[in-house]
């Protein structure tokens, strides 16, 4: 029963959503909206579970004086301090909002800016001419870089045209082929799940 | 007249009285596709032979990745991507069940991280169940299934920290990734981890192909659980995917022919 119930619930919910997608019955649209709302509410409830997990992990770090336990202490103080402050002042409080904007936004931007350097290191490894594929990748990368820079057109007007052809024809065709394959694969996986053939997402082998 | 009140948008009438406009072609495609999948499943259940499927290098490398981590005595990291409970997340859950089972069997530490709190209890249950099934429930460490943060780059920073502190030897990135994909993959490369990624987002694929040892491209992510299980019933559904790729290629060719003949009949039929 523990295994059958989620499979049946998944089947019913899945069929309702599929019917609501294709058939113009007002009742089904409402059911779909209700299911979407339930998903949203369960997501909100799960946030609390996330906080509990963070608390357990970092409390143990502090109790056992693991390496960098001070960082765990700072995390717990910041998390609960901000949470309790928000409970009393509400989400529109000026200080509540500015603490968030002054910390998460610049830190997020700093992490994001690392991408530029990581792109370079990934490209360096990928572009080493060890295989034919890597050599083609290098040639395509060079045309792409030169085609985007003014120096490319200065070297030859052929370079920006080649870059446009690569991105608009080759790249678009490849991306669409992958997208079609992905959609077909996702649908086949959903059929396996809806029919209860695949249950490993329930834990273990799903027997 | 900027002050005029716009007429309320009335939804277009249903096609053929019942169908949502623009979905008739899709509906028939889905019916035919589902019927073929069901037929292949029934054939496999009846014990009839199922055609061979091609080798997928990324999936064959799972044992190698976990084995390497075991030999080095270092942990394995798994992330199910950005979103909660989408088709790709469910595919990632199935892959996690397999990876967790391997780790439990080899007594290798598995660290699972998520940035989606909704995923967390499911991930914990999958890993717990894997340890239970191989008869090692005491080896399961609840603290190794971690919710790090709900914010993309806060989560990314957490994962990078884990890679460097724990010296992760194998990294599995399965699911939908955004800008964090390359940061995580490069941090894994710097930590010397063998990396296997599977992502249906075509925008992130080039980065993962460039920075990971193996990449599951497109539908390979969804094929993983069927491929790894080697169950003929599940493998049968993968055959349908390949057949319909050929079918869609045929539709594209027909569409090109019609378009070049100046006819919109085919286009109107499939977008009805």
């Amino acid at each position: 029963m523990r295994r059958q119930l989620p499979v049946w619930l998944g089947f019913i919910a899945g069929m309702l959503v599929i019917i609501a997608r294709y058939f113009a019955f007002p009742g089904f649209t409402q059911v779909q909206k209700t299911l979407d709302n339930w998903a949203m509410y369960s997501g909100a409830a799960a946030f609390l579970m996330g906080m509990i997990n963070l608390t357990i992990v970092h409390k143990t770090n502090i109790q056992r004086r693991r390496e960098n336990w001070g960082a765990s202490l700072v995390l717990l103080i910041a998390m609960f301090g901000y949470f309790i402050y928000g409970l009393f002042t509400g989400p529109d409080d000026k200080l509540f909002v500015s603490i968030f904007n002054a910390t998460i936004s610049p830190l997020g931007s700093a992490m994001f800016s690392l991408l530029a350097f990581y792109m370079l290191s990934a490209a360096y490894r990928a572009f080493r001419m060890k295989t034919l594929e890597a050599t083609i990748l290098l040639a395509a990368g060079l045309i792409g870089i030169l085609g985007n820079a003014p120096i490319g057109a200065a070297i030859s007007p052929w370079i920006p045209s080649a870059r446009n052809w690569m991105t608009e024809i080759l790249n678009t065709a490849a991306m669409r082929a992958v997208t079609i394959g992905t959609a077909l694969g996702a649908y086949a996986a959903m059929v396996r799940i809806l029919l209860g053939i695949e249950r490993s997402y329930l834990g273990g082998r799903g027997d | 007249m900027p002050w005029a009140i716009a007429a309320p948008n009335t939804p277009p009438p249903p096609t053929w009285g019942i169908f949502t406009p623009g979905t008739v072609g899709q509906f028939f495609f889905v019916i035919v596709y589902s019927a073929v999948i069901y037929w292949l499943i029934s054939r496999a259940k009846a014990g009839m032979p199922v055609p061979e499927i091609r080798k997928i290098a990324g999936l064959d490398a799972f044992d190698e990745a976990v084995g390497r981590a075991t030999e080095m005595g270092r942990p394995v990291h798994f992330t199910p991507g950005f979103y909660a409970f989408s088709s790709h997340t469910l595919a990632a859950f199935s892959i996690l069940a397999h990876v967790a089972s391997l780790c439990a069997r080899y007594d290798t530490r598995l660290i699972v991280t998520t940035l989606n709190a909704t995923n967390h209890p499911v991930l914990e249950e999958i890993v717990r169940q894997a340890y239970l099934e191989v008869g090692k429930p005491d080896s399961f460490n609840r603290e190794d299934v971690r919710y790090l943060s709900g914010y993309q780059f806060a989560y990314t920073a957490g994962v990078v920290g884990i890679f460097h502190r724990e010296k992760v030897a194998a990294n599995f990135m399965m699911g939908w990734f955004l800008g964090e994909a390359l940061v995580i993959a490069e941090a894994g490369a710097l930590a010397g981890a063998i990396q296997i990624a599977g992502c249906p987002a075509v925008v992130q694929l080039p980065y993962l192909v460039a920075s990971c040892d193996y990449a599951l491209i497109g539908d390979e992510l969804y094929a993983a659980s069927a491929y790894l299980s080697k169950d003929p019933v599940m493998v049968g559904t993968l055959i349908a995917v390949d057949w319909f790729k050929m079918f869609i290629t045929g539709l594209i060719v027909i569409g090109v022919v019609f378009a070049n003949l100046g006819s919109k009949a085919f286009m109107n039929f499939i977008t009805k």
Side-chain angles (χ1 to χ4, degrees), chain B residues 62-123:
Chain B
F62 276 35
D63 285 352
E64 179 196 339
V66 177
R68 183 172 178 267
T70 309
E71 280 172 12
M72 295 172 86
R74 281 157 51 178
V76 171
H77 173 259
F78 186 99
T79 168
F82 195 82
Y83 293 110
F85 290 105
S86 299
S87 57
H88 35 83
T89 325
L90 291 177
F93 288 165
S94 299
I95 296 170
L96 173 64
H98 183 79
V99 173
S101 179
L102 283 177
C103 289
R105 220 173 300 148
Y106 297 147
D107 268 330
T108 305
R109 188 174 166 211
L110 171 66
I111 301 171
V112 182
T113 62
T114 179
L115 64 50
N116 209 305
T118 320
N119 287 340
H120 183 264
V122 184
L123 295 169

Coordinates of all heavy atoms in Angstrom, one line a residue, chain B residues 62-123:
Chain B
F62 N 29.1 5.1 -14.7 CA 28.6 5.3 -13.3 C 29.5 4.4 -12.3 O 29.9 4.9 -11.3 CB 27.1 4.9 -13.1 CG 26.2 6.0 -13.5 CD1 26.5 7.0 -14.5 CD2 25.0 6.2 -12.8 CE1 25.6 8.0 -14.8 CE2 24.1 7.2 -13.1 CZ 24.4 8.1 -14.1
D63 N 29.6 3.2 -12.7 CA 30.4 2.2 -11.9 C 31.8 2.7 -11.7 O 32.4 2.7 -10.6 CB 30.4 0.8 -12.5 CG 29.0 0.1 -12.3 OD1 28.2 0.7 -11.6 OD2 28.8 -0.9 -12.9
E64 N 32.4 3.2 -12.9 CA 33.8 3.7 -12.9 C 33.9 4.8 -11.9 O 34.9 4.9 -11.1 CB 34.1 4.1 -14.3 CG 35.5 4.6 -14.4 CD 35.7 5.4 -15.8 OE1 34.9 5.2 -16.7 OE2 36.6 6.2 -15.8
A65 N 33.0 5.8 -11.9 CA 33.0 7.0 -11.1 C 33.0 6.6 -9.6 O 33.8 7.1 -8.8 CB 31.9 7.9 -11.5
V66 N 32.0 5.8 -9.3 CA 31.8 5.4 -7.8 C 33.0 4.5 -7.4 O 33.5 4.7 -6.3 CB 30.5 4.7 -7.6 CG1 30.4 4.2 -6.2 CG2 29.3 5.6 -7.9
G67 N 33.5 3.6 -8.3 CA 34.6 2.8 -8.0 C 35.9 3.6 -7.7 O 36.6 3.3 -6.8
R68 N 36.0 4.6 -8.5 CA 37.2 5.5 -8.3 C 37.2 6.2 -7.0 O 38.2 6.3 -6.3 CB 37.2 6.6 -9.5 CG 38.4 7.5 -9.4 CD 38.4 8.3 -10.7 NE 39.6 9.2 -10.7 CZ 39.5 10.5 -10.2 NH1 38.3 10.9 -9.8 NH2 40.5 11.3 -10.3
A69 N 36.0 6.7 -6.6 CA 35.8 7.3 -5.3 C 36.1 6.3 -4.2 O 36.7 6.7 -3.2 CB 34.4 7.9 -5.2
T70 N 35.7 5.1 -4.4 CA 35.9 4.1 -3.4 C 37.4 3.8 -3.2 O 37.9 3.8 -2.1 CB 35.2 2.8 -3.8 OG1 33.8 3.1 -4.1 CG2 35.2 1.7 -2.7
E71 N 38.1 3.7 -4.3 CA 39.5 3.4 -4.2 C 40.3 4.5 -3.6 O 41.2 4.3 -2.8 CB 40.1 3.2 -5.7 CG 39.8 1.8 -6.2 CD 40.2 1.8 -7.7 OE1 40.8 2.7 -8.2 OE2 39.8 0.8 -8.3
M72 N 39.8 5.8 -3.8 CA 40.5 6.9 -3.3 C 40.1 7.2 -1.8 O 40.7 8.1 -1.2 CB 40.2 8.2 -4.1 CG 40.8 8.0 -5.5 SD 40.3 9.4 -6.6 CE 41.5 10.6 -6.2
G73 N 39.0 6.6 -1.4 CA 38.5 6.8 -0.1 C 37.9 8.2 0.1 O 37.9 8.8 1.2
R74 N 37.4 8.7 -1.0 CA 36.8 10.1 -1.0 C 35.3 10.0 -1.4 O 34.9 9.1 -2.0 CB 37.6 11.0 -1.9 CG 38.9 11.5 -1.3 CD 39.9 11.9 -2.3 NE 39.5 12.8 -3.3 CZ 40.3 13.3 -4.2 NH1 41.6 13.0 -4.3 NH2 39.8 14.2 -5.1
P75 N 34.5 11.1 -1.0 CA 33.1 11.0 -1.2 C 32.6 11.2 -2.7 O 33.4 11.7 -3.5 CB 32.5 12.0 -0.3 CG 33.6 13.0 0.0 CD 34.9 12.2 -0.2
V76 N 31.4 10.8 -2.9 CA 30.7 11.1 -4.2 C 29.7 12.2 -3.9 O 29.1 12.2 -2.9 CB 30.0 9.8 -4.6 CG1 29.1 10.1 -5.8 CG2 30.9 8.7 -4.9
H77 N 29.6 13.1 -4.9 CA 28.5 14.2 -4.7 C 27.5 14.0 -5.8 O 27.8 13.7 -6.9 CB 29.2 15.6 -4.9 CG 28.2 16.7 -4.9 ND1 27.8 17.3 -6.1 CD2 27.5 17.3 -3.9 CE1 26.9 18.2 -5.8 NE2 26.7 18.3 -4.5
F78 N 26.2 14.3 -5.4 CA 25.1 14.2 -6.4 C 24.2 15.4 -6.2 O 23.9 15.8 -5.1 CB 24.3 13.0 -6.1 CG 23.2 12.7 -7.1 CD1 23.4 11.8 -8.1 CD2 22.0 13.4 -7.1 CE1 22.4 11.6 -9.1 CE2 21.0 13.2 -8.0 CZ 21.2 12.3 -9.0
T79 N 23.9 16.1 -7.3 CA 22.9 17.2 -7.2 C 21.8 16.9 -8.3 O 22.1 16.6 -9.4 CB 23.5 18.6 -7.5 OG1 22.5 19.5 -7.6 CG2 24.5 18.6 -8.6
P80 N 20.5 17.1 -7.9 CA 19.4 16.9 -8.8 C 19.0 18.2 -9.6 O 17.9 18.2 -10.1 CB 18.3 16.4 -7.9 CG 18.5 17.1 -6.6 CD 20.0 17.4 -6.5
G81 N 19.8 19.2 -9.6 CA 19.5 20.4 -10.4 C 18.7 21.4 -9.7 O 18.5 21.4 -8.5
F82 N 18.2 22.3 -10.5 CA 17.6 23.6 -10.0 C 16.2 23.4 -9.5 O 15.8 24.0 -8.5 CB 17.7 24.6 -11.1 CG 17.5 26.0 -10.7 CD1 18.5 26.7 -10.2 CD2 16.2 26.6 -10.8 CE1 18.3 28.0 -9.7 CE2 16.1 27.9 -10.4 CZ 17.1 28.6 -9.9
Y83 N 15.4 22.7 -10.3 CA 13.9 22.7 -10.0 C 13.4 21.6 -9.1 O 14.1 20.6 -8.9 CB 13.2 22.7 -11.3 CG 13.4 24.0 -12.1 CD1 14.1 24.0 -13.3 CD2 12.9 25.2 -11.7 CE1 14.4 25.1 -14.0 CE2 13.1 26.4 -12.4 CZ 13.9 26.3 -13.6 OH 14.1 27.4 -14.3
A84 N 12.1 21.7 -8.8 CA 11.5 20.6 -8.0 C 10.5 19.9 -8.8 O 9.7 20.6 -9.5 CB 10.9 21.2 -6.7
F85 N 10.5 18.6 -8.7 CA 9.4 17.8 -9.2 C 9.0 18.1 -10.7 O 7.8 18.3 -10.9 CB 8.2 17.9 -8.3 CG 8.4 17.1 -7.0 CD1 8.7 17.8 -5.9 CD2 8.5 15.8 -7.0 CE1 9.0 17.2 -4.7 CE2 8.8 15.1 -5.8 CZ 9.0 15.8 -4.7
S86 N 9.9 18.2 -11.5 CA 9.7 18.2 -12.9 C 10.1 16.9 -13.5 O 10.7 16.1 -12.8 CB 10.5 19.4 -13.6 OG 10.1 20.6 -13.0
S87 N 9.9 16.7 -14.8 CA 10.2 15.4 -15.4 C 11.7 15.2 -15.2 O 12.1 14.0 -14.9 CB 9.9 15.5 -16.9 OG 10.5 16.5 -17.5
H88 N 12.6 16.2 -15.4 CA 14.0 16.0 -15.2 C 14.4 15.7 -13.8 O 15.3 15.0 -13.5 CB 14.8 17.2 -15.8 CG 14.1 18.5 -15.6 ND1 14.2 19.2 -14.4 CD2 13.3 19.2 -16.4 CE1 13.5 20.3 -14.5 NE2 13.0 20.3 -15.7
T89 N 13.6 16.3 -12.8 CA 14.0 16.0 -11.4 C 13.6 14.5 -11.1 O 14.4 13.8 -10.4 CB 13.1 16.9 -10.5 OG1 13.0 18.1 -11.1 CG2 13.8 17.0 -9.1
L90 N 12.5 14.0 -11.6 CA 12.1 12.6 -11.4 C 13.2 11.7 -12.0 O 13.5 10.7 -11.4 CB 10.7 12.4 -12.0 CG 9.6 13.0 -11.2 CD1 8.3 12.7 -12.0 CD2 9.5 12.6 -9.8
A91 N 13.7 12.1 -13.2 CA 14.7 11.3 -13.8 C 16.0 11.3 -12.9 O 16.6 10.3 -12.8 CB 15.1 11.9 -15.2
A92 N 16.3 12.5 -12.4 CA 17.4 12.6 -11.5 C 17.2 11.7 -10.2 O 18.2 11.1 -9.7 CB 17.7 14.0 -11.1
F93 N 16.0 11.7 -9.7 CA 15.7 10.8 -8.5 C 16.0 9.4 -8.8 O 16.6 8.7 -8.0 CB 14.2 11.0 -8.1 CG 13.9 12.3 -7.5 CD1 12.5 12.7 -7.4 CD2 14.9 13.2 -7.0 CE1 12.2 13.9 -6.8 CE2 14.5 14.4 -6.5 CZ 13.2 14.8 -6.4
S94 N 15.6 8.9 -10.0 CA 15.8 7.5 -10.4 C 17.3 7.2 -10.5 O 17.8 6.2 -10.1 CB 15.1 7.2 -11.7 OG 13.8 7.5 -11.6
I95 N 18.0 8.2 -11.0 CA 19.5 8.0 -11.2 C 20.1 8.0 -9.8 O 21.0 7.2 -9.5 CB 20.1 9.1 -12.0 CG1 19.6 9.0 -13.5 CG2 21.6 9.0 -12.0 CD1 19.9 10.2 -14.4
L96 N 19.6 8.9 -8.9 CA 20.2 8.9 -7.5 C 20.0 7.5 -6.8 O 20.9 7.1 -6.1 CB 19.5 10.0 -6.7 CG 19.8 10.0 -5.2 CD1 21.3 10.3 -5.0 CD2 19.0 11.0 -4.4
A97 N 18.8 6.9 -7.1 CA 18.6 5.6 -6.5 C 19.6 4.6 -6.9 O 20.1 3.8 -6.0 CB 17.2 5.1 -6.9
H98 N 20.1 4.7 -8.1 CA 21.1 3.8 -8.6 C 22.5 4.1 -8.0 O 23.2 3.3 -7.5 CB 21.2 3.9 -10.1 CG 22.2 2.9 -10.7 ND1 21.9 1.6 -10.9 CD2 23.4 3.1 -11.2 CE1 23.0 1.0 -11.5 NE2 23.9 1.9 -11.6
V99 N 22.8 5.4 -8.0 CA 24.1 5.9 -7.5 C 24.2 5.6 -6.0 O 25.2 5.1 -5.5 CB 24.3 7.4 -7.7 CG1 25.6 7.9 -7.1 CG2 24.4 7.7 -9.2
A100 N 23.1 5.8 -5.3 CA 23.1 5.6 -3.8 C 23.3 4.1 -3.5 O 24.0 3.7 -2.6 CB 21.8 6.1 -3.2
S101 N 22.6 3.3 -4.4 CA 22.8 1.8 -4.2 C 24.2 1.4 -4.4 O 24.8 0.6 -3.6 CB 21.9 1.1 -5.2 OG 21.9 -0.2 -5.1
L102 N 24.9 2.0 -5.4 CA 26.3 1.6 -5.7 C 27.2 2.1 -4.5 O 28.0 1.3 -4.0 CB 26.8 2.4 -6.9 CG 26.4 1.8 -8.3 CD1 26.9 2.8 -9.4 CD2 26.9 0.4 -8.5
C103 N 26.9 3.3 -4.0 CA 27.7 3.8 -2.9 C 27.5 3.0 -1.6 O 28.4 2.7 -0.9 CB 27.3 5.3 -2.6 SG 27.9 6.4 -3.9
A104 N 26.2 2.6 -1.4 CA 25.9 1.8 -0.2 C 26.7 0.5 -0.3 O 27.2 0.0 0.7 CB 24.4 1.6 -0.1
R105 N 26.7 -0.1 -1.5 CA 27.3 -1.4 -1.7 C 28.8 -1.4 -1.4 O 29.4 -2.2 -0.8 CB 27.0 -1.9 -3.1 CG 26.7 -3.4 -3.1 CD 26.3 -3.9 -4.5 NE 25.1 -3.2 -4.9 CZ 24.8 -2.9 -6.2 NH1 25.6 -3.2 -7.1 NH2 23.6 -2.3 -6.5
Y106 N 29.4 -0.3 -1.9 CA 30.9 -0.1 -1.8 C 31.3 0.6 -0.5 O 32.5 0.9 -0.4 CB 31.4 0.7 -3.0 CG 31.2 0.0 -4.4 CD1 31.0 0.8 -5.5 CD2 31.3 -1.4 -4.5 CE1 30.8 0.2 -6.8 CE2 31.1 -2.0 -5.8 CZ 30.9 -1.2 -6.9 OH 30.7 -1.8 -8.1
D107 N 30.4 0.9 0.3 CA 30.7 1.7 1.5 C 31.4 3.0 1.2 O 32.3 3.4 1.9 CB 31.6 0.9 2.5 CG 30.7 0.1 3.5 OD1 29.6 0.6 3.8 OD2 31.1 -1.0 3.9
T108 N 30.9 3.7 0.2 CA 31.4 5.0 -0.2 C 30.5 6.1 0.3 O 29.3 6.0 0.1 CB 31.6 5.1 -1.7 OG1 32.4 3.9 -2.1 CG2 32.3 6.3 -2.2
R109 N 31.1 7.1 0.8 CA 30.2 8.2 1.3 C 29.6 9.0 0.2 O 30.2 9.3 -0.8 CB 31.1 9.2 2.1 CG 30.3 10.2 2.9 CD 31.2 11.0 3.8 NE 30.5 12.2 4.2 CZ 31.1 13.4 4.5 NH1 32.4 13.5 4.3 NH2 30.4 14.4 4.9
L110 N 28.3 9.2 0.3 CA 27.5 9.9 -0.7 C 27.0 11.2 -0.1 O 26.3 11.2 0.9 CB 26.4 9.1 -1.3 CG 25.4 9.8 -2.2 CD1 26.0 10.2 -3.5 CD2 24.2 8.9 -2.5
I111 N 27.4 12.4 -0.8 CA 26.8 13.6 -0.3 C 25.8 14.1 -1.4 O 26.2 14.3 -2.5 CB 27.9 14.7 -0.1 CG1 29.0 14.2 0.9 CG2 27.4 16.0 0.3 CD1 30.2 15.1 1.0
V112 N 24.6 14.4 -1.0 CA 23.6 14.8 -1.9 C 23.2 16.3 -1.5 O 22.9 16.5 -0.3 CB 22.3 13.9 -1.9 CG1 21.3 14.4 -2.9 CG2 22.7 12.5 -2.1
T113 N 23.3 17.2 -2.4 CA 22.9 18.6 -2.1 C 21.7 19.0 -3.0 O 21.6 18.6 -4.1 CB 24.1 19.5 -2.3 OG1 24.4 19.5 -3.6 CG2 25.3 19.2 -1.4
T114 N 20.9 19.9 -2.4 CA 19.8 20.4 -3.2 C 19.6 21.9 -2.9 O 19.9 22.3 -1.7 CB 18.5 19.7 -3.0 OG1 17.5 20.2 -3.8 CG2 18.1 19.6 -1.5
L115 N 19.1 22.7 -3.8 CA 18.7 24.1 -3.5 C 17.2 24.2 -3.5 O 16.7 25.3 -3.4 CB 19.4 25.0 -4.5 CG 19.1 25.1 -6.0 CD1 17.7 25.2 -6.4 CD2 19.9 26.3 -6.5
N116 N 16.5 23.0 -3.5 CA 15.1 23.1 -3.5 C 14.6 22.3 -2.3 O 14.7 21.1 -2.3 CB 14.6 22.5 -4.8 CG 13.3 23.1 -5.1 OD1 12.3 23.1 -4.3 ND2 13.2 23.7 -6.3
A117 N 14.0 23.0 -1.3 CA 13.6 22.3 -0.1 C 12.6 21.2 -0.4 O 12.5 20.3 0.4 CB 13.0 23.4 0.9
T118 N 11.8 21.4 -1.4 CA 10.7 20.4 -1.7 C 11.4 19.1 -2.1 O 10.9 18.0 -1.8 CB 9.9 20.9 -2.9 OG1 9.6 22.2 -2.8 CG2 8.6 20.1 -3.0
N119 N 12.6 19.1 -2.7 CA 13.3 17.9 -3.1 C 13.8 17.2 -1.9 O 14.0 15.9 -1.9 CB 14.4 18.2 -4.0 CG 14.0 18.6 -5.4 OD1 12.8 18.3 -5.8 ND2 14.8 19.3 -6.1
H120 N 14.2 17.9 -0.8 CA 15.0 17.4 0.2 C 14.4 16.1 0.9 O 15.2 15.1 0.9 CB 15.3 18.4 1.3 CG 16.2 17.9 2.3 ND1 15.7 17.4 3.5 CD2 17.5 17.7 2.4 CE1 16.7 17.0 4.3 NE2 17.8 17.2 3.6
P121 N 13.2 16.1 1.3 CA 12.7 14.8 2.0 C 12.7 13.6 1.0 O 13.0 12.5 1.5 CB 11.2 15.2 2.4 CG 11.0 16.5 1.9 CD 12.2 17.1 1.3
V122 N 12.5 13.9 -0.3 CA 12.4 12.8 -1.2 C 13.9 12.2 -1.4 O 14.1 11.0 -1.4 CB 11.9 13.2 -2.6 CG1 11.8 12.1 -3.6 CG2 10.5 13.9 -2.4
L123 N 14.8 13.1 -1.5 CA 16.2 12.7 -1.7 C 16.7 11.9 -0.5 O 17.3 10.9 -0.6 CB 17.1 14.0 -1.8 CG 16.9 14.8 -3.1 CD1 17.6 16.1 -3.0 CD2 17.3 14.1 -4.3

